[in-house]
mmCIF file of all heavy atoms in Angstrom:
data_model
loop_
_atom_site.group_PDB
_atom_site.id
_atom_site.type_symbol
_atom_site.label_atom_id
_atom_site.label_comp_id
_atom_site.label_asym_id
_atom_site.label_seq_id
_atom_site.Cartn_x
_atom_site.Cartn_y
_atom_site.Cartn_z
ATOM 1 N N SER A 1 140.885 83.885 21.850
ATOM 2 C CA SER A 1 142.264 84.373 21.701
ATOM 3 C C SER A 1 142.271 85.773 21.098
ATOM 4 O O SER A 1 143.064 86.650 21.493
ATOM 5 C CB SER A 1 143.084 83.432 20.811
ATOM 6 O OG SER A 1 143.242 82.171 21.421
ATOM 7 N N PHE A 2 141.336 86.008 20.167
ATOM 8 C CA PHE A 2 141.219 87.314 19.534
ATOM 9 C C PHE A 2 140.938 88.391 20.586
ATOM 10 O O PHE A 2 141.598 89.435 20.613
ATOM 11 C CB PHE A 2 140.135 87.279 18.471
ATOM 12 C CG PHE A 2 139.903 88.574 17.768
ATOM 13 C CD1 PHE A 2 140.549 88.881 16.592
ATOM 14 C CD2 PHE A 2 139.024 89.524 18.283
ATOM 15 C CE1 PHE A 2 140.346 90.081 15.941
ATOM 16 C CE2 PHE A 2 138.808 90.744 17.637
ATOM 17 C CZ PHE A 2 139.474 91.007 16.459
ATOM 18 N N PHE A 3 139.957 88.143 21.428
ATOM 19 C CA PHE A 3 139.557 89.176 22.412
ATOM 20 C C PHE A 3 140.573 89.307 23.541
ATOM 21 O O PHE A 3 140.776 90.399 24.077
ATOM 22 C CB PHE A 3 138.175 88.885 22.953
ATOM 23 C CG PHE A 3 137.070 89.268 21.986
ATOM 24 C CD1 PHE A 3 136.337 88.308 21.327
ATOM 25 C CD2 PHE A 3 136.810 90.599 21.717
ATOM 26 C CE1 PHE A 3 135.345 88.652 20.433
ATOM 27 C CE2 PHE A 3 135.816 90.968 20.824
ATOM 28 C CZ PHE A 3 135.082 89.983 20.176
ATOM 29 N N ARG A 4 141.248 88.215 23.897
ATOM 30 C CA ARG A 4 142.322 88.341 24.889
ATOM 31 C C ARG A 4 143.463 89.188 24.354
ATOM 32 O O ARG A 4 144.052 89.989 25.080
ATOM 33 C CB ARG A 4 142.808 86.938 25.323
ATOM 34 C CG ARG A 4 141.890 86.248 26.314
ATOM 35 C CD ARG A 4 142.580 85.063 26.967
ATOM 36 N NE ARG A 4 142.838 83.987 26.002
ATOM 37 C CZ ARG A 4 141.973 82.998 25.761
ATOM 38 N NH1 ARG A 4 140.824 82.928 26.401
ATOM 39 N NH2 ARG A 4 142.300 82.048 24.892
ATOM 40 N N ARG A 5 143.775 88.988 23.079
ATOM 41 C CA ARG A 5 144.816 89.801 22.458
ATOM 42 C C ARG A 5 144.373 91.279 22.400
ATOM 43 O O ARG A 5 145.164 92.200 22.643
ATOM 44 C CB ARG A 5 145.108 89.306 21.043
ATOM 45 C CG ARG A 5 146.343 89.941 20.416
ATOM 46 C CD ARG A 5 146.645 89.319 19.033
ATOM 47 N NE ARG A 5 146.656 87.881 19.092
ATOM 48 C CZ ARG A 5 147.674 87.173 19.572
ATOM 49 N NH1 ARG A 5 148.736 87.781 20.055
ATOM 50 N NH2 ARG A 5 147.615 85.852 19.605
ATOM 51 N N LEU A 6 143.104 91.476 22.090
ATOM 52 C CA LEU A 6 142.571 92.848 22.062
ATOM 53 C C LEU A 6 142.604 93.483 23.437
ATOM 54 O O LEU A 6 142.901 94.689 23.574
ATOM 55 C CB LEU A 6 141.135 92.819 21.515
ATOM 56 C CG LEU A 6 140.532 94.153 21.058
ATOM 57 C CD1 LEU A 6 141.401 94.822 20.017
ATOM 58 C CD2 LEU A 6 139.122 93.937 20.520
ATOM 59 N N GLN A 7 142.344 92.695 24.477
ATOM 60 C CA GLN A 7 142.455 93.203 25.847
ATOM 61 C C GLN A 7 143.869 93.712 26.140
ATOM 62 O O GLN A 7 144.045 94.743 26.792
ATOM 63 C CB GLN A 7 142.100 92.106 26.845
ATOM 64 C CG GLN A 7 140.608 91.915 27.101
ATOM 65 C CD GLN A 7 140.350 90.838 28.128
ATOM 66 O OE1 GLN A 7 141.011 89.787 28.143
ATOM 67 N NE2 GLN A 7 139.364 91.055 29.006
ATOM 68 N N SER A 8 144.870 92.969 25.655
ATOM 69 C CA SER A 8 146.255 93.374 25.899
ATOM 70 C C SER A 8 146.567 94.719 25.249
ATOM 71 O O SER A 8 147.443 95.458 25.737
ATOM 72 C CB SER A 8 147.223 92.305 25.388
ATOM 73 O OG SER A 8 147.281 92.288 23.967
ATOM 74 N N PHE A 9 145.873 95.072 24.190
ATOM 75 C CA PHE A 9 146.088 96.356 23.524
ATOM 76 C C PHE A 9 145.613 97.520 24.387
ATOM 77 O O PHE A 9 146.115 98.643 24.241
ATOM 78 C CB PHE A 9 145.365 96.392 22.175
ATOM 79 C CG PHE A 9 146.115 95.743 21.061
ATOM 80 C CD1 PHE A 9 147.028 94.724 21.314
ATOM 81 C CD2 PHE A 9 145.925 96.133 19.758
ATOM 82 C CE1 PHE A 9 147.725 94.135 20.286
ATOM 83 C CE2 PHE A 9 146.619 95.534 18.728
ATOM 84 C CZ PHE A 9 147.524 94.532 18.989
ATOM 85 N N PHE A 10 144.624 97.269 25.249
ATOM 86 C CA PHE A 10 144.102 98.333 26.108
ATOM 87 C C PHE A 10 144.780 98.358 27.477
ATOM 88 O O PHE A 10 144.479 99.236 28.304
ATOM 89 C CB PHE A 10 142.592 98.155 26.305
ATOM 90 C CG PHE A 10 141.792 98.428 25.065
ATOM 91 C CD1 PHE A 10 141.290 97.373 24.307
ATOM 92 C CD2 PHE A 10 141.543 99.714 24.630
ATOM 93 C CE1 PHE A 10 140.569 97.599 23.163
ATOM 94 C CE2 PHE A 10 140.812 99.953 23.482
ATOM 95 C CZ PHE A 10 140.316 98.902 22.750
ATOM 96 N N ALA A 11 145.645 97.394 27.767
ATOM 97 C CA ALA A 11 146.327 97.347 29.064
ATOM 98 C C ALA A 11 147.199 98.591 29.237
ATOM 99 O O ALA A 11 147.749 99.129 28.272
ATOM 100 C CB ALA A 11 147.168 96.086 29.163
ATOM 101 N N ASP A 12 147.317 99.030 30.492
ATOM 102 C CA ASP A 12 148.154 100.178 30.838
ATOM 103 C C ASP A 12 147.734 101.450 30.116
ATOM 104 O O ASP A 12 148.553 102.263 29.711
ATOM 105 C CB ASP A 12 149.641 99.900 30.523
ATOM 106 C CG ASP A 12 150.163 98.694 31.285
ATOM 107 O OD1 ASP A 12 149.766 98.530 32.445
ATOM 108 O OD2 ASP A 12 150.956 97.940 30.692
ATOM 109 N N THR A 13 146.409 101.617 29.968
ATOM 110 C CA THR A 13 145.909 102.866 29.390
ATOM 111 C C THR A 13 146.310 104.029 30.285
ATOM 112 O O THR A 13 146.063 104.014 31.494
ATOM 113 C CB THR A 13 144.371 102.827 29.254
ATOM 114 O OG1 THR A 13 144.013 101.723 28.427
ATOM 115 C CG2 THR A 13 143.854 104.121 28.645
ATOM 116 N N THR A 14 146.954 105.012 29.705
ATOM 117 C CA THR A 14 147.464 106.135 30.516
ATOM 118 C C THR A 14 146.332 107.036 30.994
ATOM 119 O O THR A 14 145.282 107.116 30.367
ATOM 120 C CB THR A 14 148.464 106.964 29.695
ATOM 121 O OG1 THR A 14 147.796 107.478 28.540
ATOM 122 C CG2 THR A 14 149.643 106.115 29.255
ATOM 123 N N TYR A 15 146.584 107.727 32.095
ATOM 124 C CA TYR A 15 145.567 108.610 32.647
ATOM 125 C C TYR A 15 145.242 109.774 31.725
ATOM 126 O O TYR A 15 144.153 110.349 31.797
ATOM 127 C CB TYR A 15 146.012 109.138 34.016
ATOM 128 C CG TYR A 15 145.837 108.117 35.104
ATOM 129 C CD1 TYR A 15 146.916 107.375 35.575
ATOM 130 C CD2 TYR A 15 144.592 107.887 35.666
ATOM 131 C CE1 TYR A 15 146.755 106.408 36.548
ATOM 132 C CE2 TYR A 15 144.417 106.951 36.675
ATOM 133 C CZ TYR A 15 145.512 106.213 37.108
ATOM 134 O OH TYR A 15 145.344 105.269 38.083
ATOM 135 N N GLU A 16 146.177 110.131 30.849
ATOM 136 C CA GLU A 16 145.914 111.269 29.975
ATOM 137 C C GLU A 16 144.817 111.006 28.956
ATOM 138 O O GLU A 16 144.235 111.938 28.406
ATOM 139 C CB GLU A 16 147.212 111.656 29.224
ATOM 140 C CG GLU A 16 147.708 110.593 28.263
ATOM 141 C CD GLU A 16 149.048 110.943 27.666
ATOM 142 O OE1 GLU A 16 149.980 111.224 28.428
ATOM 143 O OE2 GLU A 16 149.157 110.932 26.433
ATOM 144 N N VAL A 17 144.496 109.688 28.706
ATOM 145 C CA VAL A 17 143.429 109.401 27.745
ATOM 146 C C VAL A 17 142.092 109.121 28.435
ATOM 147 O O VAL A 17 141.088 108.926 27.758
ATOM 148 C CB VAL A 17 143.793 108.196 26.847
ATOM 149 C CG1 VAL A 17 145.078 108.443 26.112
ATOM 150 C CG2 VAL A 17 143.851 106.902 27.627
ATOM 151 N N ILE A 18 142.074 109.114 29.755
ATOM 152 C CA ILE A 18 140.833 108.790 30.466
ATOM 153 C C ILE A 18 139.737 109.797 30.151
ATOM 154 O O ILE A 18 138.566 109.465 30.001
ATOM 155 C CB ILE A 18 141.091 108.699 31.992
ATOM 156 C CG1 ILE A 18 141.988 107.499 32.296
ATOM 157 C CG2 ILE A 18 139.775 108.580 32.754
ATOM 158 C CD1 ILE A 18 142.382 107.362 33.744
ATOM 159 N N ARG A 19 140.138 111.083 30.024
ATOM 160 C CA ARG A 19 139.146 112.109 29.719
ATOM 161 C C ARG A 19 138.488 111.878 28.357
ATOM 162 O O ARG A 19 137.364 112.267 28.129
ATOM 163 C CB ARG A 19 139.796 113.504 29.753
ATOM 164 C CG ARG A 19 140.182 113.939 31.152
ATOM 165 C CD ARG A 19 140.833 115.324 31.145
ATOM 166 N NE ARG A 19 142.109 115.340 30.476
ATOM 167 C CZ ARG A 19 142.337 115.904 29.296
ATOM 168 N NH1 ARG A 19 141.355 116.475 28.654
ATOM 169 N NH2 ARG A 19 143.547 115.874 28.751
ATOM 170 N N GLU A 20 139.224 111.269 27.455
ATOM 171 C CA GLU A 20 138.716 110.954 26.126
ATOM 172 C C GLU A 20 138.606 109.437 25.958
ATOM 173 O O GLU A 20 138.963 108.868 24.933
ATOM 174 C CB GLU A 20 139.635 111.539 25.054
ATOM 175 C CG GLU A 20 139.781 113.032 25.086
ATOM 176 C CD GLU A 20 138.533 113.753 24.576
ATOM 177 O OE1 GLU A 20 137.725 113.103 23.899
ATOM 178 O OE2 GLU A 20 138.394 114.950 24.868
ATOM 179 N N GLN A 21 138.089 108.773 26.998
ATOM 180 C CA GLN A 21 138.128 107.322 27.054
ATOM 181 C C GLN A 21 137.353 106.688 25.901
ATOM 182 O O GLN A 21 137.837 105.737 25.264
ATOM 183 C CB GLN A 21 137.569 106.837 28.389
ATOM 184 C CG GLN A 21 137.831 105.368 28.692
ATOM 185 C CD GLN A 21 137.628 105.064 30.157
ATOM 186 O OE1 GLN A 21 138.367 105.520 31.012
ATOM 187 N NE2 GLN A 21 136.576 104.305 30.444
ATOM 188 N N GLU A 22 136.157 107.189 25.637
ATOM 189 C CA GLU A 22 135.357 106.607 24.568
ATOM 190 C C GLU A 22 136.064 106.756 23.211
ATOM 191 O O GLU A 22 136.089 105.810 22.419
ATOM 192 C CB GLU A 22 133.986 107.306 24.531
ATOM 193 C CG GLU A 22 133.052 106.691 23.466
ATOM 194 C CD GLU A 22 131.660 107.310 23.524
ATOM 195 O OE1 GLU A 22 131.157 107.532 24.630
ATOM 196 O OE2 GLU A 22 131.098 107.560 22.446
ATOM 197 N N LEU A 23 136.642 107.916 22.954
ATOM 198 C CA LEU A 23 137.356 108.135 21.702
ATOM 199 C C LEU A 23 138.578 107.212 21.606
ATOM 200 O O LEU A 23 138.882 106.692 20.533
ATOM 201 C CB LEU A 23 137.794 109.594 21.576
ATOM 202 C CG LEU A 23 138.578 109.955 20.332
ATOM 203 C CD1 LEU A 23 137.739 109.726 19.086
ATOM 204 C CD2 LEU A 23 139.060 111.405 20.403
ATOM 205 N N HIS A 24 139.232 106.979 22.742
ATOM 206 C CA HIS A 24 140.394 106.100 22.762
ATOM 207 C C HIS A 24 139.998 104.672 22.371
ATOM 208 O O HIS A 24 140.647 104.026 21.540
ATOM 209 C CB HIS A 24 141.038 106.105 24.135
ATOM 210 C CG HIS A 24 142.177 105.128 24.279
ATOM 211 N ND1 HIS A 24 143.342 105.257 23.551
ATOM 212 C CD2 HIS A 24 142.320 104.003 25.022
ATOM 213 C CE1 HIS A 24 144.151 104.266 23.858
ATOM 214 N NE2 HIS A 24 143.565 103.479 24.750
ATOM 215 N N TYR A 25 138.897 104.167 22.953
ATOM 216 C CA TYR A 25 138.398 102.848 22.591
ATOM 217 C C TYR A 25 138.113 102.788 21.091
ATOM 218 O O TYR A 25 138.502 101.842 20.396
ATOM 219 C CB TYR A 25 137.103 102.515 23.334
ATOM 220 C CG TYR A 25 137.231 102.345 24.833
ATOM 221 C CD1 TYR A 25 136.168 102.629 25.657
ATOM 222 C CD2 TYR A 25 138.428 101.928 25.407
ATOM 223 C CE1 TYR A 25 136.261 102.477 27.042
ATOM 224 C CE2 TYR A 25 138.542 101.756 26.785
ATOM 225 C CZ TYR A 25 137.462 102.050 27.590
ATOM 226 O OH TYR A 25 137.557 101.894 28.947
ATOM 227 N N GLU A 26 137.403 103.786 20.599
ATOM 228 C CA GLU A 26 137.000 103.808 19.195
ATOM 229 C C GLU A 26 138.221 103.836 18.275
ATOM 230 O O GLU A 26 138.248 103.164 17.236
ATOM 231 C CB GLU A 26 136.107 105.000 18.920
ATOM 232 C CG GLU A 26 134.725 104.893 19.573
ATOM 233 C CD GLU A 26 133.870 106.144 19.373
ATOM 234 O OE1 GLU A 26 134.397 107.127 18.808
ATOM 235 O OE2 GLU A 26 132.699 106.133 19.764
ATOM 236 N N ASN A 27 139.215 104.639 18.642
ATOM 237 C CA ASN A 27 140.399 104.740 17.787
ATOM 238 C C ASN A 27 141.191 103.437 17.715
ATOM 239 O O ASN A 27 141.643 103.032 16.650
ATOM 240 C CB ASN A 27 141.315 105.883 18.285
ATOM 241 C CG ASN A 27 140.835 107.238 17.832
ATOM 242 O OD1 ASN A 27 140.042 107.365 16.889
ATOM 243 N ND2 ASN A 27 141.290 108.280 18.497
ATOM 244 N N VAL A 28 141.352 102.772 18.864
ATOM 245 C CA VAL A 28 142.069 101.491 18.873
ATOM 246 C C VAL A 28 141.320 100.441 18.068
ATOM 247 O O VAL A 28 141.910 99.725 17.265
ATOM 248 C CB VAL A 28 142.317 101.000 20.318
ATOM 249 C CG1 VAL A 28 142.924 99.589 20.295
ATOM 250 C CG2 VAL A 28 143.242 101.946 21.060
ATOM 251 N N LEU A 29 140.014 100.373 18.270
ATOM 252 C CA LEU A 29 139.212 99.405 17.515
ATOM 253 C C LEU A 29 139.232 99.715 16.016
ATOM 254 O O LEU A 29 139.301 98.807 15.173
ATOM 255 C CB LEU A 29 137.767 99.398 18.014
ATOM 256 C CG LEU A 29 137.559 98.792 19.420
ATOM 257 C CD1 LEU A 29 136.104 98.944 19.845
ATOM 258 C CD2 LEU A 29 137.971 97.331 19.458
ATOM 259 N N PHE A 30 139.199 101.009 15.674
ATOM 260 C CA PHE A 30 139.270 101.403 14.271
ATOM 261 C C PHE A 30 140.561 100.901 13.640
ATOM 262 O O PHE A 30 140.560 100.339 12.556
ATOM 263 C CB PHE A 30 139.165 102.921 14.144
ATOM 264 C CG PHE A 30 139.476 103.415 12.751
ATOM 265 C CD1 PHE A 30 138.522 103.361 11.763
ATOM 266 C CD2 PHE A 30 140.725 103.945 12.446
ATOM 267 C CE1 PHE A 30 138.817 103.811 10.466
ATOM 268 C CE2 PHE A 30 141.031 104.390 11.158
ATOM 269 C CZ PHE A 30 140.060 104.318 10.174
ATOM 270 N N ILE A 31 141.689 101.133 14.335
ATOM 271 C CA ILE A 31 142.990 100.718 13.800
ATOM 272 C C ILE A 31 143.041 99.197 13.617
ATOM 273 O O ILE A 31 143.432 98.695 12.557
ATOM 274 C CB ILE A 31 144.126 101.172 14.744
ATOM 275 C CG1 ILE A 31 144.208 102.710 14.752
ATOM 276 C CG2 ILE A 31 145.454 100.576 14.313
ATOM 277 C CD1 ILE A 31 145.130 103.241 15.852
ATOM 278 N N VAL A 32 142.640 98.454 14.651
ATOM 279 C CA VAL A 32 142.717 96.995 14.597
ATOM 280 C C VAL A 32 141.851 96.443 13.469
ATOM 281 O O VAL A 32 142.325 95.632 12.644
ATOM 282 C CB VAL A 32 142.283 96.392 15.954
ATOM 283 C CG1 VAL A 32 142.114 94.861 15.818
ATOM 284 C CG2 VAL A 32 143.293 96.697 17.035
ATOM 285 N N PHE A 33 140.608 96.896 13.399
ATOM 286 C CA PHE A 33 139.715 96.312 12.397
ATOM 287 C C PHE A 33 139.990 96.856 11.002
ATOM 288 O O PHE A 33 139.688 96.196 10.012
ATOM 289 C CB PHE A 33 138.250 96.516 12.811
ATOM 290 C CG PHE A 33 137.854 95.627 13.944
ATOM 291 C CD1 PHE A 33 137.629 96.118 15.212
ATOM 292 C CD2 PHE A 33 137.744 94.256 13.748
ATOM 293 C CE1 PHE A 33 137.289 95.294 16.260
ATOM 294 C CE2 PHE A 33 137.409 93.404 14.788
ATOM 295 C CZ PHE A 33 137.175 93.912 16.043
#
């Protein structure tokens, strides 16, 4: 349930963050944890 909820946080990732995709992942994980 934890990881499914985490998946929902990354849903609909906008194209403007694709260029900084790795940083986007790291920032979301940083906030959550």
Side-chain angles (χ1 to χ4, degrees):
S1 295
F2 179 92
F3 283 109
R4 282 195 292 269
R5 190 176 310 283
L6 196 55
Q7 278 181 320
S8 72
F9 277 27
F10 291 102
D12 301 322
T13 301
T14 60
Y15 282 100
E16 65 187 53
V17 303
I18 293 177
R19 290 180 293 109
E20 299 287 342
Q21 193 163 292
E22 183 175 319
L23 179 62
H24 175 65
Y25 293 152
E26 291 176 354
N27 280 341
V28 173
L29 290 175
F30 170 80
I31 294 169
V32 169
F33 286 109

